[in-house]
Amino acid sequence: MKLVFAGTPQVAVPSLQALIDSDHEVAAVVTRPDARSGRGRKVSPSPVAELAEKAGIEVLKPAKAGDPDFLARLAEIAPDCCPVVAYGALLPQAALDIPRHGWVNLHFSLLPAWRGAAPVQHAVLHGDDVTGASTFRIVKELDAGPVYGTLTEAVRPTDTSGELLDRLADAGAGLLVRTVDGIASGELSPVPQPDAEVSYASKLEPADAEVDFTAPAQRVDRLVRACTPAPGAWTTFRGARLKLGPLVPVTDADTPALDPGRLHADKKRVLVGTATHPVRLGEVQPQGKRAMNAVDWARGVRPTADDRLGD
């Protein structure tokens, strides 16, 4: 089939590459306009745009998917199907109506669970043992279209959302190609999602990533892993923000009992109290400074008995 692929971030790149390598024709790519990124805040094309340009594929960057010029060009290309992975903008009905087989989205959850912007983060945050990916036909209602196919992926006890998303992006690329193959052959028909067991995964904002050490250690651990790498878990120390990397709940017999937020540092580890048992800090990043090992950080700040995280 003739395809127009829509996607923007790095997580969409494996799917675009897999479609380029398939028997189908990727006639064009739709992505978000160039944006500032990186330390220098330079204006750069999206990872999807970079791959498309390298492959010699036409790149469309509409400010809105309803722009008349974009819709006219899409109609001119006349794609059979438009695969989508993390495009990042709403698609109006006028765009949805152009390809004869519609727009087929690769979503990183087992629908109808975790519809919305942050399915992988919420799977980690809520302690799901298994998650996955789904391909479905896009309809007007959020992530509610009929499903073509799914795959499952175990959520490992130490997974960050970034690590889990990377695995799903790689596995999901194959699922998306198989879905397009099935649509092209006429062997695959989508199945409506069940009305039960619907859940929603709203975007996690920086305010959501503040660690509450009065919560149980398990909750603290899940929040930090869910917010790694973005938006980045954080707390405060002596009035300044302190970014936290993944940490480890500790239940050793020789671990001291600590009140929530209370610090205990020695030559080998830095512990913080929670509502249950302590957690061991991994990497931390003080405001305006580079990331460092928690032991090195504690050696520099020398926490006292009155210091606590989340002050």
Side-chain angles (χ1 to χ4, degrees):
M1 293 194 297
K2 181 189 288 188
L3 308 176
V4 170
F5 178 85
T8 299
Q10 181 62 38
V11 71
V13 167
S15 288
L16 175 56
Q17 185 63 64
L19 290 167
I20 291 172
D21 295 339
S22 74
D23 294 332
H24 306 284
E25 175 196 355
V26 181
V29 160
V30 185
T31 191
R32 299 292 293 149
D34 297 355
R36 296 188 182 276
S37 62
R39 282 197 164 189
R41 305 303 293 166
K42 293 182 179 179
V43 176
S44 304
S46 73
V48 162
E50 289 183 342
L51 174 57
E53 289 165 358
K54 190 178 297 184
I57 297 171
E58 179 181 358
V59 180
L60 307 174
K61 302 178 183 180
K64 292 183 179 181
D67 287 353
D69 289 346
F70 165 69
L71 293 175
R73 179 57 186 145
L74 187 63
E76 187 177 46
I77 295 170
D80 298 304
C81 183
C82 293
V84 185
V85 184
Y87 171 48
L90 294 175
L91 297 165
Q93 193 62 47
L96 296 179
D97 291 340
I98 290 175
R100 63 191 181 99
H101 289 295
W103 295 66
V104 177
N105 190 39
L106 172 65
H107 183 76
F108 298 114
S109 80
L110 294 173
L111 293 170
W114 301 133
R115 295 176 181 176
V120 176
Q121 290 170 315
H122 281 266
V124 174
L125 180 63
H126 290 83
D128 292 356
D129 294 321
V130 176
T131 187
S134 307
T135 50
F136 71 97
R137 183 161 181 161
I138 294 179
V139 297
K140 190 172 182 180
E141 186 181 349
L142 177 67
D143 297 337
V147 173
Y148 285 100
T150 62
L151 61 83
T152 59
E153 177 71 32
V155 182
R156 300 168 187 171
T158 59
D159 267 339
T160 65
S161 61
E163 292 165 344
L164 180 55
L165 184 56
D166 285 345
R167 296 203 305 274
L168 288 171
D170 289 339
L175 173 62
L176 185 59
V177 172
R178 292 192 297 274
T179 298
V180 173
D181 288 346
I183 294 171
S185 68
E187 297 174 355
L188 191 59
S189 298
V191 177
Q193 294 183 36
D195 294 330
E197 300 179 9
V198 175
S199 55
Y200 292 94
S202 58
K203 181 180 179 180
L204 294 182
E205 303 289 351
D208 302 315
E210 181 178 7
V211 177
D212 177 11
F213 287 101
T214 65
Q218 184 185 63
R219 172 70 179 179
V220 171
D221 170 44
R222 289 176 180 172
L223 175 65
V224 174
R225 289 188 290 111
C227 293
T228 302
W234 62 277
T235 184
T236 54
F237 177 73
R238 295 177 183 170
R241 184 171 292 205
L242 181 70
K243 189 175 180 179
L244 301 176
L247 37 77
V248 180
V250 180
T251 56
D252 300 343
D254 61 344
T255 299
L258 298 170
D259 292 336
R262 186 71 66 191
L263 288 159
H264 171 84
D266 57 36
K267 293 181 179 180
K268 295 184 177 180
R269 61 184 184 175
V270 179
L271 303 177
V272 187
T274 71
T276 52
H277 45 268
V279 294
R280 185 180 79 242
L281 297 184
E283 191 173 77
V284 302
Q285 184 173 6
Q287 192 168 335
K289 297 184 179 180
R290 63 176 179 83
M292 64 186 75
N293 183 280
V295 173
D296 295 333
W297 167 76
R299 189 180 297 119
V301 299
R302 297 182 180 181
T304 69
D306 293 329
D307 284 323
R308 65 176 61 233
L309 296 187
D311 54 4

